[in-house]
């Protein structure tokens, strides 16, 4: 998985390609307008493409969850001209539609709930502090290994003896207008099906 980030007002005309947000950059290679970032094992972990506005217009400020075909083609042309490998087409964003099948009180946190979720063929358990989630709610979850909107990486974990398999997200985490204090619900959106990728429809 990789993720594109672009915010001209904040950092200038630079497209950032994040491949491994947890890697420590050990060295870099400057290739024209491209700076390739590598870890100590010489594995490519990120790319900065400067002056990207000279070859395409990017209207997004922030994360680009799934680049469209044309954007990816332009980026890959730039990369391959400098001897770098082309980026693969993303077949998933990591964000999936899930149905909450059961809600229980958290035994150690009165503000949290333990959720059981159905996501196609997968079943998950997690903890959420969003007050608007109930059994029957349709939510969006980030699955294990997903690069989140802020550039961090979500890992499933066991916290206080409870599985946190997925992360239930709010509207701002999906770059959608809405409250950060509530889960983003799809209860009134029948076109979104349980188990499908939220950004690839």
């Amino acid at each position: 998985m990789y993720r594109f980030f672009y915010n001209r007002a904040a950092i200038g005309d630079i497209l950032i390609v994040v491949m491994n947000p947890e890697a420590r950059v050990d060295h870099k290679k400057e290739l024209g307008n491209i700076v390739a970032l590598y870890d100590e094992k010489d594995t490519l972990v990120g790319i900065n493409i400067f002056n990207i506005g000279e070859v395409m217009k990017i209207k997004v400020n922030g994360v680009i969850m799934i680049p469209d075909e044309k954007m990816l083609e332009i980026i890959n042309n730039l990369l391959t001209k400098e001897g770098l490998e082309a980026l693969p087409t993303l077949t998933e964003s990591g964000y999936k539609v899930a149905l909450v099948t059961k809600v229980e009180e958290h035994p150690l946190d009165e503000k949290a709930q333990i959720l059981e979720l159905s996501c196609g063929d997968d079943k998950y358990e997690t903890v959420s502090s969003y007050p608007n989630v109930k059994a029957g709610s349709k939510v969006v979850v980030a699955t294990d290994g997903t690069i989140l909107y802020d550039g961090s990486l979500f890992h499933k974990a066991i916290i206080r003896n409870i599985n946190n398999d997925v992360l239930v997200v709010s509207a701002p985490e999906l770059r959608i207008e809405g409250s950060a204090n509530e889960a983003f619900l799809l209860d009134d959106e029948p076109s979104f099906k349980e188990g499908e990728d939220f950004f690839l429809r």
Side-chain angles (χ1 to χ4, degrees), residues 140-185:
V140 179
V141 298
T143 55
D144 186 45
T146 296
I147 300 175
L148 305 176
Y149 79 107
D150 62 358
S152 63
L153 195 64
F154 172 74
H155 292 288
K156 65 180 181 181
I158 298 175
I159 302 174
R160 294 178 172 180
N161 294 320
I162 298 170
N163 293 324
N164 282 249
D165 298 325
V166 293
L167 177 68
V168 179
V169 299
S170 65
E173 290 173 293
L174 298 168
R175 316 316 285 163
I176 296 172
E177 186 176 345
S179 173
N181 299 317
E182 295 185 336
F184 179 70
L185 301 182

Side-chain angles (χ1 to χ4, degrees), residues 90-189:
L90 289 174
T91 58
E92 61 179 350
S93 70
Y95 290 88
K96 293 188 177 182
V97 178
L99 179 68
V100 179
T101 57
K102 187 177 181 180
V103 177
E104 296 181 353
E105 292 183 4
H106 195 296
L108 301 174
D109 187 346
E110 63 181 15
K111 294 183 179 180
Q113 299 173 313
I114 300 172
L115 310 180
E116 291 184 8
L117 305 107
S118 176
C119 191
D121 294 331
D122 298 314
K123 308 299 177 187
Y124 298 120
E125 180 180 67
T126 197
V127 173
S128 172
S129 297
Y130 292 124
N132 63 326
V133 177
K134 61 184 183 299
S137 293
K138 204 185 324 181
V139 297
V140 179
V141 298
T143 55
D144 186 45
T146 296
I147 300 175
L148 305 176
Y149 79 107
D150 62 358
S152 63
L153 195 64
F154 172 74
H155 292 288
K156 65 180 181 181
I158 298 175
I159 302 174
R160 294 178 172 180
N161 294 320
I162 298 170
N163 293 324
N164 282 249
D165 298 325
V166 293
L167 177 68
V168 179
V169 299
S170 65
E173 290 173 293
L174 298 168
R175 316 316 285 163
I176 296 172
E177 186 176 345
S179 173
N181 299 317
E182 295 185 336
F184 179 70
L185 301 182
L186 292 165
D187 296 351
D188 298 325
E189 299 290 343

Side-chain angles (χ1 to χ4, degrees), residues 61-80:
N61 277 320
V63 62
I64 300 170
M65 292 294 184
I66 301 289
D68 62 36
E69 187 175 317
K70 183 62 178 177
M71 180 180 192
L72 189 59
E73 180 184 354
I74 294 171
I75 297 302
N76 280 336
N77 283 338
L78 295 175
L79 297 180
T80 54

